[in-house]
Amino acid sequence: MKIREISLQNFAKYDQVSVSFDDKITYLVGKNGSGKSTLGITAIWFMFQGIAEKASGGNNPLIGERFRFIGNNAATAKGEMTLYDEVKGFEVKVFRKLTKTGSDLSFHGPEGMVLDQKWLTDLF
């Protein structure tokens, strides 16, 4: 499974950002404080596992105060990630919305495929 693309709205310092990842390698280059780690680590963790005050239900979310990851332009942060299964040849879209009190998660994939938090956790 590969990450093909990630898009964020009102997440941390990003008002809006979208990055497509190359099939082989993608470099995130920028000066200190430009958001490389936010995009390359924190945002990807957010999309896979969420952000929570504590772990529950077998998840390993990024532990932190949710409001610190919500930007200044809205009451929520949103993310969309496209995953590609190169063995089975299909795409799955992962959508996550972060509020001060929780996180909503949804998936869009091939018809009949069971896509839930357990599937995503097992993938991660």
Side-chain angles (χ1 to χ4, degrees):
M1 192 75 64
K2 289 184 178 182
I3 299 173
R4 279 206 167 153
E5 184 174 11
I6 188 166
S7 297
L8 303 167
Q9 293 177 347
N10 201 43
F11 185 81
K13 68 186 321 176
Y14 291 110
D15 293 336
Q16 175 97 24
V17 66
S18 185
V19 175
S20 296
F21 295 97
D22 186 86
D23 281 342
K24 295 187 176 32
I25 191 165
T26 299
Y27 296 97
L28 298 175
V29 179
K31 61 184 179 179
N32 288 346
S34 64
K36 300 178 302 292
S37 295
T38 299
L39 181 61
I41 299 171
T42 308
I44 291 172
W45 194 283
F46 158 66
M47 291 303 301
F48 277 116
Q49 293 285 352
I51 296 172
E53 306 277 327
K54 63 181 181 175
S56 66
N59 291 343
N60 294 311
L62 179 64
I63 304 297
E65 297 166 314
R66 290 181 192 96
F67 73 89
R68 295 186 186 277
F69 297 93
I70 299 172
N72 297 324
N73 297 323
T76 63
K78 295 179 183 177
E80 179 180 328
M81 181 170 57
T82 303
L83 302 174
Y84 179 70
D85 185 329
E86 58 240 318
V87 174
K88 296 179 181 174
F90 64 82
E91 282 189 350
V92 173
K93 293 230 182 224
V94 180
F95 301 91
R96 195 175 286 272
K97 180 174 139 184
L98 181 67
T99 67
K100 291 180 181 177
T101 59
S103 179
D104 295 327
L105 177 66
S106 63
F107 307 93
H108 295 256
E111 180 123 1
M113 184 173 179
V114 176
L115 302 171
D116 57 11
Q117 180 67 56
K118 181 181 178 339
W119 170 81
L120 191 60
T121 300
D122 290 347
L123 175 66
F124 191 57

